[in-house]
Amino acid sequence: MSENKHPRNAMNTVDPRRWAALAVVLVASFMDAVDVTVVHMAIPHIQQDIGASSAQVQWITGGYALAFALGLITGGRLGDLFGRKRVFLLGVVGFTVTSLVCGIAGNAEMLLAGRVAQGAMAALMVPQVLSIIHVTFPERERGKVFGIYGAVMALGTIAGPLVSALLVQGDLFGLGWRPIFLVNLPLGIAGLIAGSLVISESKAERAARLDLVGVVLATAGLLALVLPLTQGRELGWPAWTYVSMAASVPLLAVFVAWERRLLRRGGSPLVVLSLFARRSFAGGQGVQLMFGLASGVFFLAWTLYLQLGLGWSPLKAGLSGLPLSAAMMAGAGMSMQVLVPRFGRVVLQAGALLAAAGMALFACLAQHYGSDIAMWQALVPLIPMGLGMGLIIAPLTDVILSEVPHEHAGSASGLTNTTVQLGQAVGVALSSVIFFARLGHGDPAARAAQMPHAFTGSLWYVAAAFVAAFALLSSLPRTAGTKKLAAGPARRSEQQDTTVPVA
């Protein structure tokens, strides 16, 4: 391959294969979004088949998100340094192989290891998606593209439980829950072939060495926080869990100090801290964290509540997510195409309050009716929640990256995905305290009777996370996402593009 010595000006050069490349990276994003939640509907069957404990169930669900969060920043930086297409395709290969490992796992330990490895491979693949979009599409098309991206991610998140339900209940070839992972094999192979043909290579102009010290410090700090949250309740909260959580603060503080020192010395830090000087970036990361936390708590508790608390079949439980999916897609479409370009930040804030109201309504209905709640009563609250989330998710990505120079696209997209995935990992871990603790340690019948009570308590935490997102959105510029803002910093960053295409 030869390297073009002149930076590409995105205003003048448009990749003719950009829409085909978009289709490929969106399929990869969809695979990842599905795999975050795909195990939820299969949990009762996994427990029955391989005897997974409650703590192992949390690791099977949260371990993916944790490994994903720990590796995303590194994955984004690797794409900047060694080529986004190259790292993306490597991630696709790894994701496909680890999906096979999960699909043939014979015990809980092997499945857990496969899920953690799968999350690590997704951390190579997913950051390149936003980076490839950011450097491939001109500014005039990027708003529409991010709208499509948001809709696909919303669809994938909700499709996970439905896909899982169809495959588990269908019991393809007598494999039970295993096809929820094996289905990634043909998709991964097709994505690898298509991606190698239509995605153009790009990387940062000045390749630098990877910040290995930063990788170790960030990983240690995040792991010290999430590990005790997940294991603490199951082990009776021994002293090391409190020590570990306390240690996460100085570890992350040392990480920040190291990144600043490295930047002063002219090195290439893992996290470009100067990005947080931009209000749209810093505020958006906080909102992403709250959304991840809310979804981490909600989806695990919701799927267990429907199946073990209400006795619904996997298919019925999966179909109950369709109103949420449809509402999210509708909200995303209205937000990107009509509302945010005209009204800006207030639309995102309205979405946060709408989502919080939906969760409060669900909590009231679940508490009042208990296990006698009707299906329509369990579906109605999902509509305002979905609309609210859709109003935020699609434009938020565009707002966060609007002021990011192209040479930092990988690092910025890695951070953007890290915050939401870290939130999901923490949310799943917190389920030990706010969901599983309310179920107690009794027999299955006793735990099922407590399920509505445990679920109701969890919903108030989810609502609080959306209220916190509303407060954080106040830090964004009032004109965030409007045409007025798009004509400013984002356009200037296009003119200063230092991304180097590789033929």
Side-chain angles (χ1 to χ4, degrees):
M1 292 193 291
S2 62
E3 192 167 286
N4 190 337
K5 299 300 181 183
H6 302 285
R8 181 186 67 180
N9 187 322
M11 299 294 292
N12 299 326
T13 303
V14 177
D15 189 341
R17 300 175 299 179
R18 64 192 184 282
W19 293 104
L22 176 65
V24 174
V25 297
L26 287 182
V27 169
S29 296
F30 183 81
M31 287 169 58
D32 164 64
V34 166
D35 271 76
V36 171
T37 58
V38 74
V39 298
H40 290 161
M41 290 297 169
I43 283 174
H45 298 268
I46 292 174
Q47 286 182 303
Q48 183 179 4
D49 185 26
I50 60 177
S53 66
S54 295
Q56 287 173 328
V57 163
Q58 286 180 266
W59 275 111
I60 290 169
T61 55
Y64 178 96
L66 178 59
F68 197 12
L70 293 175
L72 274 168
I73 301 175
T74 304
R77 178 56 72 189
L78 287 173
D80 285 345
L81 300 182
F82 301 111
R84 289 144 189 159
K85 174 181 177 179
R86 180 181 302 169
V87 177
F88 173 78
L89 295 179
L90 178 63
V92 170
V93 172
F95 192 84
T96 305
V97 172
T98 52
S99 295
L100 175 61
V101 172
C102 292
I104 63 175
N107 52 55
E109 291 76 16
M110 183 176 178
L111 178 57
L112 196 159
R115 283 288 285 173
V116 172
Q118 191 183 36
M121 291 301 102
L124 289 179
M125 177 177 69
V126 172
Q128 318 315 322
V129 172
L130 289 179
S131 299
I132 290 169
I133 290 174
H134 194 62
V135 303
T136 302
F137 284 86
E139 186 272 336
R140 64 181 181 274
E141 295 178 344
R142 210 177 296 148
K144 178 168 63 177
V145 172
F146 279 126
I148 298 171
Y149 170 80
V152 168
M153 292 299 291
L155 179 61
T157 300
I158 305 303
L162 181 57
V163 169
S164 176
L166 290 170
L167 293 175
V168 170
Q169 194 151 321
D171 192 20
L172 298 178
F173 309 108
L175 294 175
W177 53 269
R178 299 178 186 279
I180 67 175
F181 300 113
L182 298 177
V183 72
N184 288 332
L185 271 62
L187 291 175
I189 294 171
L192 178 63
I193 296 172
S196 63
L197 295 175
V198 302
I199 297 176
S200 297
E201 185 63 283
S202 66
K203 61 182 179 180
E205 182 180 14
R206 291 177 298 275
R209 290 186 299 177
L210 181 63
D211 176 16
L212 293 177
V213 174
V215 171
V216 172
L217 289 173
T219 301
L222 295 175
L223 189 60
L225 173 64
V226 176
L227 178 61
L229 285 174
T230 304
Q231 293 291 118
R233 186 192 67 88
E234 193 83 7
L235 300 176
W237 295 105
W240 71 264
T241 59
Y242 297 101
V243 172
S244 179
M245 286 186 285
S248 68
V249 177
L251 279 171
L252 293 174
V254 171
F255 167 71
V256 171
W258 167 260
E259 296 297 282
R260 288 175 173 168
R261 178 173 179 268
L262 187 62
L263 184 62
R264 286 196 302 269
R265 294 171 58 187
S268 179
L270 185 65
V271 175
V272 183
L273 296 175
S274 61
L275 293 174
F276 287 92
R278 297 166 168 83
R279 289 174 60 192
S280 58
F281 187 86
Q285 296 304 323
V287 177
Q288 289 278 72
L289 185 65
M290 290 299 104
F291 262 62
L293 195 152
S295 62
V297 173
F298 176 75
F299 284 108
L300 179 58
W302 177 59
T303 51
L304 291 176
Y305 164 72
L306 295 181
Q307 292 190 70
L308 301 182
L310 303 183
W312 291 8
S313 68
L315 182 57
K316 183 178 180 180
L319 289 172
S320 68
L322 290 180
L324 178 59
S325 178
M328 287 179 70
M329 295 183 68
M334 291 189 299
S335 182
M336 283 298 298
Q337 301 300 322
V338 180
L339 299 177
V340 170
R342 182 174 180 182
F343 300 108
R345 184 186 73 190
V346 67
V347 178
L348 284 74
Q349 290 181 296
L353 292 181
L354 192 59
M359 290 297 91
L361 174 61
F362 206 161
C364 292
L365 290 172
Q367 183 173 359
H368 180 73
Y369 292 103
S371 58
D372 296 324
I373 191 171
M375 185 173 183
W376 71 268
Q377 292 168 331
L379 299 186
V380 168
L382 299 179
I383 297 175
M385 179 188 180
L387 282 172
M389 291 179 70
L391 288 176
I392 301 176
I393 289 175
L396 185 62
T397 302
D398 194 19
V399 168
I400 289 174
L401 297 180
S402 63
E403 299 176 294
V404 175
H406 284 181
E407 65 267 27
H408 298 314
S411 181
S413 63
L415 275 169
T416 299
N417 282 288
T418 293
T419 52
V420 69
Q421 293 299 327
L422 177 60
Q424 287 184 343
V426 172
V428 172
L430 285 174
S431 296
S432 286
V433 181
I434 65 180
F435 179 71
F436 286 104
R438 292 171 179 256
L439 292 179
H441 296 281
D443 58 74
R447 288 164 64 90
Q450 288 295 314
M451 193 70 70
H453 171 66
F455 179 62
T456 299
S458 300
L459 291 179
W460 291 115
Y461 286 91
V462 177
F466 285 124
V467 172
F470 168 82
L472 289 167
L473 284 166
S474 300
S475 66
L476 299 184
R478 290 183 178 274
T479 56
T482 62
K483 295 178 180 179
K484 178 180 178 180
L485 185 65
R491 190 175 299 277
R492 286 195 298 273
S493 71
E494 289 244 359
Q495 294 170 344
Q496 297 170 358
D497 182 16
T498 58
T499 298
V500 176
V502 180

